[in-house]
Amino acid sequence: MSSSNTVLYFQAGFGVLVNMFLLFFYTFIILCHRPKPMDLISCQLTFIHIMMILTGGDILESLKFGNDVKCKTVFYINRVMRGLSICITCLLSVFQAVTISPNTSLFAKFKQKLKTYMMYAFFYLWSFNVLFSSRWFFYVAGFTNISETHQMKVSKSCFLYPVNHIIRGLMLTVAMSRDVFLVGVMMTTSTYMVIILFRHQKQCKHLHSIRHLRASPEKRATQMILILVVFFVVMYWVDFIISFTSILLWVYDPVVLTVQMFVMNIYPIITPVVQISSDKRIINVLKNFRSE
């Protein structure tokens, strides 16, 4: 096994473990306590990241069933999860912006029905990504009789069929439009949250209650989401540039593929680490476990 594969397997293993811990924690909160609306989104994002990591590399290559079926299934699930990752991260940002918005703002009327809107959002986002990613069933294969010069390798044993230039351009345009829109929404809501925090901080300084500001759960949650959005935007666009260039030129260098897998796993690993370090409930659970 090469050193690059060792790094990828270690990265994936750590990512799955830390996300599994977070998934169990949020599941316990949802089933046994009164969860916050953000807990429902975070739980779903954690599950998505576990699936993303498991289907993102060569981890499932050893499964013993038809190579073509395996490639189509694994690649499809990975693309669905990647689409959901940007959608749910955007949803997390939007809902946190609504949560911390002042009662005099336009968003105030949405606060009371946040869980209802969230369920609708989950349904539409999952439906859209499941349907939108289904196109890959027609273009991915584990084997093909077409000359290898026209194929593009996307994993150890999976290839992309040659795609018509017009169809390829259309697919890239639709995917890019979706991603640019969602990243734009994330950046807009993040700017809005920064403005609210800045105003809140000025008010608290004026009232000499800066200690209250530091202890605010809303502020901690908002800071966590802002960090996640920044990480996501940077990592996502690095990954997108690699994918866009490779599909446009119809060539995937093995080194580039390895770099992309490494970049792809950074956000699903950083997310639970940031969530654990910023959620007092999780910190208290870990402290109690350590003391026992």
Side-chain angles (χ1 to χ4, degrees):
M1 186 185 292
S2 65
S3 57
S4 60
N5 282 340
T6 303
V7 171
L8 288 175
Y9 279 121
F10 175 79
Q11 185 194 38
F14 176 76
V16 170
L17 284 175
V18 73
N19 274 290
M20 284 293 288
F21 167 77
L22 208 55
L23 182 63
F24 286 135
F25 174 80
Y26 283 126
T27 303
F28 175 74
I29 292 293
I30 290 168
L31 295 178
C32 304
H33 294 271
R34 295 185 64 184
K36 302 174 184 176
M38 294 302 110
D39 291 336
L40 300 172
I41 301 177
S42 296
C43 183
Q44 214 167 132
L45 192 61
T46 303
F47 171 76
I48 288 165
H49 287 162
I50 292 171
M51 296 303 296
M52 247 180 93
I53 294 170
L54 289 176
T55 58
D58 298 327
I59 298 172
L60 300 180
E61 291 285 333
S62 58
L63 292 177
K64 304 294 183 183
F65 61 91
N67 193 44
D68 188 51
V69 175
K70 177 174 63 179
C71 282
K72 287 180 185 293
T73 304
V74 172
F75 194 83
Y76 169 71
I77 292 173
N78 181 257
R79 292 293 154 164
V80 171
M81 295 303 142
R82 286 178 68 178
L84 282 169
S85 182
I86 185 172
C87 290
I88 300 297
T89 301
C90 181
L91 188 69
L92 191 67
S93 179
V94 169
F95 275 64
Q96 184 62 21
V98 173
T99 301
I100 68 169
S101 62
N103 291 328
T104 54
S105 71
L106 294 172
F107 298 120
K109 61 182 179 180
F110 297 109
K111 287 186 180 182
Q112 300 300 322
K113 295 184 177 180
L114 214 54
K115 280 190 179 180
T116 304
Y117 292 130
M118 191 180 297
M119 295 307 165
Y120 284 124
F122 285 156
F123 175 77
Y124 289 124
L125 291 177
W126 274 87
S127 299
F128 171 78
N129 283 283
V130 166
L131 293 172
F132 183 67
S133 298
S134 62
R135 70 192 189 280
W136 292 111
F137 279 116
F138 302 101
Y139 301 116
V140 179
F143 61 87
T144 176
N145 296 324
I146 301 173
S147 172
E148 196 168 312
T149 56
H150 297 105
Q151 300 168 356
M152 185 170 73
K153 197 171 185 180
V154 290
S155 72
K156 189 182 291 182
S157 58
C158 295
F159 295 86
L160 278 180
Y161 282 122
V163 182
N164 180 280
H165 290 289
I166 297 174
I167 296 175
R168 193 190 310 174
L170 184 63
M171 286 164 55
L172 285 172
T173 302
V174 174
M176 193 165 70
S177 300
R178 177 199 66 180
D179 297 345
V180 168
F181 171 74
L182 292 173
V183 169
V185 172
M186 279 190 268
M187 297 305 292
T188 302
T189 53
S190 296
T191 304
Y192 177 70
M193 287 189 283
V194 168
I195 293 169
I196 290 176
L197 285 180
F198 180 72
R199 287 177 179 172
H200 188 201
Q201 189 168 356
K202 283 183 69 176
Q203 289 173 356
C204 288
K205 280 182 178 178
H206 181 70
L207 296 170
H208 306 289
S209 57
I210 193 69
R211 184 180 297 178
H212 172 72
L213 176 67
R214 285 176 182 165
S216 167
E218 288 79 11
K219 185 190 177 186
R220 284 197 303 271
T222 304
Q223 288 175 332
M224 175 200 76
I225 291 167
L226 290 173
I227 292 170
L228 292 182
V229 167
V230 171
F231 262 106
F232 181 86
V233 170
V234 173
M235 292 300 106
Y236 188 86
W237 284 110
V238 171
D239 173 47
F240 183 82
I241 290 167
I242 294 172
S243 298
F244 182 83
T245 307
S246 299
I247 292 176
L248 206 61
L249 301 175
W250 204 250
V251 59
Y252 242 128
D253 185 85
V255 176
V256 173
L257 188 59
T258 301
V259 171
Q260 186 182 24
M261 287 180 184
F262 180 80
V263 169
M264 242 171 58
N265 285 342
I266 291 177
Y267 179 68
I269 292 171
I270 289 292
T271 301
V273 173
V274 172
Q275 287 177 308
I276 289 169
S277 61
S278 60
D279 193 326
K280 271 198 167 182
R281 297 170 302 174
I282 303 176
I283 295 171
N284 290 334
V285 168
L286 292 175
K287 282 182 179 177
N288 292 334
F289 181 77
R290 186 179 177 184
S291 62
E292 290 178 4

